[in-house]
Amino acid sequence: MKKIFKSLMASLTGMIILTSCHEEFLTEKVYDSLTPLNFYKTEADINAAVVSVYNMLHHGDSWGRQIWLGAEYPGEASWPNFSGEAWRTELDQYNWTPGSTGFRQIWSSMYRMIDRANTVLQYSPEIEYTQQSVRDQVEGEAKFLRALAYLTLVRFFDHVPYVTEENRSELFPSNEGTDDQVWQLIIDDLKFGVEKLPAKYTGSDLGRATAGAAQALLTKAYLTRAGKPWNKSEYWALAAQEANKIINNPAYGYGLHENYEDVFLIANEHGKEYIFSVESESGMGLGRDYPTFSGIRSGNQLKLDGWSSIVTEEEFFNSMSVDDKRREKTFVLSYPDVRGNGMVYTYPETITLPHFNKFINPDDDKAVSTSDYATNMIILRYSDVLLMHSEAENEANGPSAEAVKGINMVRERAGLPLLNPADFTKETLGDAILQERVWEFCLEGQAYFDLKRRGAIEKRITKYATSEKHYVFPVPQSELDVNPNLKQHPAYR
């Protein structure tokens, strides 16, 4: 039944939300064309607008491709194998510039997503809702998605323009002096979602943002605010408190799957570890190419072939213990020839490069093209909450039984020894938690954010020359060219 929500998304994929002009100078009512003034009249209308915001998650300029890669390639686990656009290698080798293509795509896609959310919030008060809870859900989802877009922007670019439903008609918004406004908006939007959104959905609404998703993203926002470059240390305790509320809230129903591989099966995509994902589905215009992107090129691994466009760093492959139960799902260790001829490929004997196995799922077999797989891109899952709690608790109060509670739950599932807080200082436990995140979330688009927050780029990225400026992405040159009020980040001036 979850496909009903995805069907709504598919039907609106090509819809242009009516935000480019307001035509407020018109006094005559027009009935044979749609404008914002005559479209947003019913709950169905505003729900269509909400779904259009979700559709931006799926776009290739956002989590459909560029945000995922922008957060993953600078990490220590993956590299682009000299594939595709130059930006991928620039990310991997830390030699990007303001003109690098992906920065413009991420920036513009997030502001399109913000504008669509602002459209919902501008016109929602004019709808006659059947009940208040429907309005709360509409506005809660829009605010969650707006906060997600803004948090993504500040995690990449630091200083960004502040645009809401109240000033969305401003042509040239500035990014100077906006930090506090943007952060307060993120926090307020997510607090609204925690209060107003339901704890869970069933049936056709599966995949929508929940109160738990808002609370998990609020935890991540606090964690980000506490770390580099913001260094607001008081937010460590807030992050720990928020994560603990999630852990101790049975209404959410969150927990760890017994087996790591079960997290990534389509059958479990809304299971107990799921919090929020980019929803994908085969055969309805909502498929994605994540398996193709990470699959082995000309390796007879997938019936539709792979591209080997994001592969495993050999050093990272070797860093994971052979006793780690995550290893078999994380990496391609062996597989049978898809042609059914009985041949079995193994690494390193007959597989040249180490590859990731996370998106290669036996139950994702309905794709009709290389970009039509149903595997979701995870944005938030429960093990992230556990590790965020450990990180924040350690930073707030130092090593303790409480600080290792979350990381030990993750390690226990992985079959690894539990950590004894007496063996660590705050710094060494912080390093251990970061390492655990690298193993747990590789290929899930978290790497750059974790390295940045922990101030660990120079320490952990040793293959290429890095510097202080690499803790932030530059404002895209194309945006500077058209907006006279934008200023380049000081690290790139």
Side-chain angles (χ1 to χ4, degrees):
M1 292 183 69
K2 64 184 175 60
K3 290 186 179 180
I4 298 176
F5 175 53
K6 292 182 179 180
S7 295
L8 266 175
M9 290 178 65
S11 67
L12 290 165
T13 297
M15 172 182 175
I16 303 296
I17 288 299
L18 307 167
T19 59
S20 58
C21 61
H22 295 275
E23 306 288 0
E24 292 174 350
F25 58 88
L26 295 177
T27 56
E28 179 182 0
K29 290 186 178 180
V30 180
Y31 296 97
D32 60 351
S33 63
L34 290 176
T35 75
L37 298 179
N38 65 24
F39 180 73
Y40 301 108
K41 297 297 184 183
T42 68
E43 289 182 9
D45 296 339
I46 205 69
N47 186 58
V50 172
V51 172
S52 80
V53 191
Y54 281 102
N55 270 328
M56 282 306 305
L57 300 173
H58 195 265
H59 197 282
D61 287 351
S62 64
W63 281 272
R65 176 70 62 85
Q66 301 298 50
I67 288 175
W68 168 45
L69 299 184
E72 188 61 35
Y73 280 140
E76 61 204 82
S78 60
W79 68 290
N81 192 25
F82 310 112
S83 68
E85 59 185 336
W87 181 64
R88 300 174 194 172
T89 300
E90 292 168 359
L91 285 170
D92 179 59
Q93 299 182 6
Y94 279 77
N95 58 9
W96 57 70
T97 70
S100 297
T101 57
F103 300 143
R104 171 186 57 79
Q105 293 167 312
I106 292 172
W107 181 287
S108 62
S109 70
M110 288 301 89
Y111 274 105
R112 290 199 302 274
M113 184 169 163
I114 288 166
D115 193 56
R116 292 184 181 192
N118 285 340
T119 297
V120 174
L121 296 168
Q122 179 177 346
Y123 291 101
S124 176
E126 301 176 13
I127 303 296
E128 291 188 11
Y129 290 97
T130 55
Q131 48 190 337
Q132 182 63 36
S133 62
V134 177
R135 176 176 176 174
D136 289 344
Q137 181 179 329
V138 163
E139 296 179 2
E141 289 180 82
K143 289 186 175 186
F144 170 85
L145 293 167
R146 181 170 69 176
L148 175 60
Y150 265 122
L151 184 59
T152 301
L153 285 166
V154 298
R155 291 169 92 192
F156 278 134
F157 301 101
D158 289 358
H159 313 303
V160 300
Y162 172 81
V163 182
T164 71
E165 67 273 25
E166 296 177 354
N167 70 328
R168 59 188 291 258
S169 61
E170 185 179 342
L171 290 178
F172 301 118
S174 174
N175 62 340
E176 287 193 306
T178 59
D179 295 347
D180 289 343
Q181 286 178 301
V182 170
W183 273 111
Q184 195 59 55
L185 183 73
I186 291 169
I187 291 168
D188 288 346
D189 278 359
L190 293 173
K191 284 182 175 180
F192 184 93
V194 173
E195 179 183 354
K196 301 295 186 180
L197 290 172
K200 60 177 62 177
Y201 294 103
T202 59
S204 62
D205 285 328
L206 282 173
R208 292 179 181 270
T210 61
Q215 196 157 29
L217 196 62
L218 180 60
T219 304
K220 195 170 287 289
Y222 286 155
L223 206 73
T224 302
R225 191 76 162 131
K228 187 181 179 71
W230 310 102
N231 301 314
K232 303 289 186 180
S233 59
E234 65 271 23
Y235 282 87
W236 291 120
L238 292 174
Q241 292 167 15
E242 214 64 37
N244 222 17
K245 291 177 186 178
I246 299 170
I247 294 167
N248 295 323
N249 189 343
Y252 293 150
Y254 297 144
L256 294 179
H257 289 288
E258 183 178 354
N259 299 311
Y260 184 70
E261 64 180 338
D262 291 343
V263 176
F264 306 97
L265 294 175
I266 292 175
N268 294 327
E269 67 183 9
H270 296 107
K272 61 183 179 180
E273 195 158 340
Y274 161 89
I275 297 180
F276 190 72
S277 294
V278 178
E279 299 289 324
S280 297
E281 191 66 59
S282 299
M284 56 193 304
L286 283 177
R288 290 309 311 168
D289 58 14
Y290 308 127
T292 308
F293 215 80
S294 61
I296 299 174
R297 181 183 293 274
S298 303
N300 297 322
Q301 181 192 27
L302 300 168
K303 67 177 183 178
L304 299 172
D305 204 12
W307 294 339
S308 293
S309 293
I310 188 165
V311 298
T312 307
E313 290 277 11
E314 186 174 359
E315 295 88 346
F316 175 66
F317 178 89
N318 293 330
S319 78
M320 186 176 285
S321 168
V322 295
D323 297 324
D324 195 319
K325 294 180 180 179
R326 293 171 291 200
R327 188 168 180 265
E328 187 171 352
K329 183 55 182 172
T330 300
F331 306 120
V332 178
L333 303 179
S334 68
Y335 64 91
D337 193 303
V338 73
R339 296 170 299 183
N341 59 11
M343 184 173 179
V344 176
Y345 298 89
T346 61
Y347 177 80
E349 290 77 15
T350 51
I351 303 173
T352 305
L353 298 172
H355 281 68
F356 290 106
N357 193 41
K358 277 191 173 180
F359 296 143
I360 311 300
N361 291 318
D363 60 347
D364 196 354
D365 59 357
K366 298 180 176 60
V368 297
S369 72
T370 56
S371 61
D372 190 46
Y373 286 94
T375 293
N376 286 358
M377 174 58 69
I378 297 169
I379 294 179
L380 294 164
R381 58 184 175 96
Y382 186 59
S383 62
D384 194 1
V385 172
L386 295 176
L387 289 175
M388 285 194 293
H389 177 263
S390 284
E391 179 180 347
E393 180 64 33
N394 177 57
E395 292 297 327
N397 300 308
S400 66
E402 182 71 5
V404 299
K405 176 178 68 176
I407 188 174
N408 277 343
M409 291 173 68
V410 173
R411 288 178 65 85
E412 183 176 29
R413 177 172 68 178
L416 298 177
L418 304 187
L419 303 186
N420 180 352
D423 296 335
F424 294 90
T425 65
K426 179 187 287 190
E427 181 180 359
T428 58
L429 183 54
D431 289 343
I433 293 167
L434 176 56
Q435 179 61 68
E436 203 66 48
R437 291 187 65 87
V438 177
W439 287 326
E440 179 76 11
F441 301 119
C442 60
L443 202 63
E444 296 180 47
Q446 302 227 34
Y448 180 70
F449 302 138
D450 289 343
L451 288 172
K452 175 176 178 173
R453 181 181 70 255
R454 300 300 305 173
I457 289 176
E458 294 101 328
K459 181 177 181 179
R460 298 187 69 101
I461 303 300
T462 58
K463 293 178 66 174
Y464 304 106
T466 61
S467 66
E468 187 66 23
K469 76 175 185 178
H470 293 120
Y471 284 98
V472 64
F473 286 173
V475 175
Q477 186 60 50
S478 57
E479 297 294 328
L480 294 170
D481 291 341
V482 299
N483 183 348
N485 293 328
L486 274 182
K487 301 299 180 184
Q488 182 57 271
H489 193 282
Y492 292 89
R493 292 178 189 171

